[in-house]
Amino acid sequence: MSNELLFLLAALVDIVVVFIAARLGREWLLGTILVNLLLIGTFGTKLISIFGLVTNVGNVFYACVFLATHFFIERYGKDAAWQTVWFGVGLVLFFTVMAQFAVNYQGLGLSDAANTASATLFPFSSRVIFASMLAYVFAQYVNISLYVWIRERAHGKFLWLRSSAANITSQLVDSSLFFTIAFLNLPGPMLVQAILTGWLLKSLVGLAGTPFLYLNGYLERKKQHR
């Protein structure tokens, strides 16, 4: 299966799961954020080529975290959205610390493959997690602030505008910080390409999730009128 097809399938699955979680309740929606953040930290080190451009595998996961944040703002408000940010950062950092304990256990020869893989992945993954969490906090500040600012001034109208503007702007902040820290060893032109490609792909996934925000709002209004 090609990288392009995998990307499209991953985006579809993740967006649908976030939407279903939003319908099931606050805890489910928060769970999608935490799972996607852990996926970023675990697999974000893997560089790939999509449509001939260099990026990493974390784009879908990050875009869906921001999409889930928009669901949080719409249903639970700005303060609740910020709580998910700090809750996610805290749990991911906890995961990172505990993963280092697991990596430093002396493994038996029977698990040489797992020993080598974990020792190779997780020390570098710690840097990726630091980069992703730093970028995450700054980008979420832009995301939440701009989303709420447009929502207030548009008096709750133009969902597509606040979702698109907040998504595109915050994803540029995220990609710039994340790739610069996590992949500083890349050649300059490749680093710039990775930043721009990551920004483009995350923006597209975010835009693809906007109809689900509309659908969720429609279902909520229909539920209230019953």
Side-chain angles (χ1 to χ4, degrees), residues 128-145:
V128 172
I129 288 177
F130 170 76
S132 64
M133 289 302 97
L134 181 65
Y136 178 59
V137 171
F138 279 97
Q140 280 285 42
Y141 175 79
V142 174
N143 180 42
I144 296 172
S145 299

Side-chain angles (χ1 to χ4, degrees), residues 164-177:
S164 300
N167 175 59
I168 292 172
T169 305
S170 60
Q171 295 299 2
L172 178 59
V173 174
D174 176 75
S175 290
S176 299
L177 287 174

Side-chain angles (χ1 to χ4, degrees), residues 54-69:
V54 174
T55 186
N56 74 329
V57 299
N59 294 310
V60 167
F61 310 137
Y62 236 126
C64 287
V65 167
F66 284 66
L67 174 63
T69 303

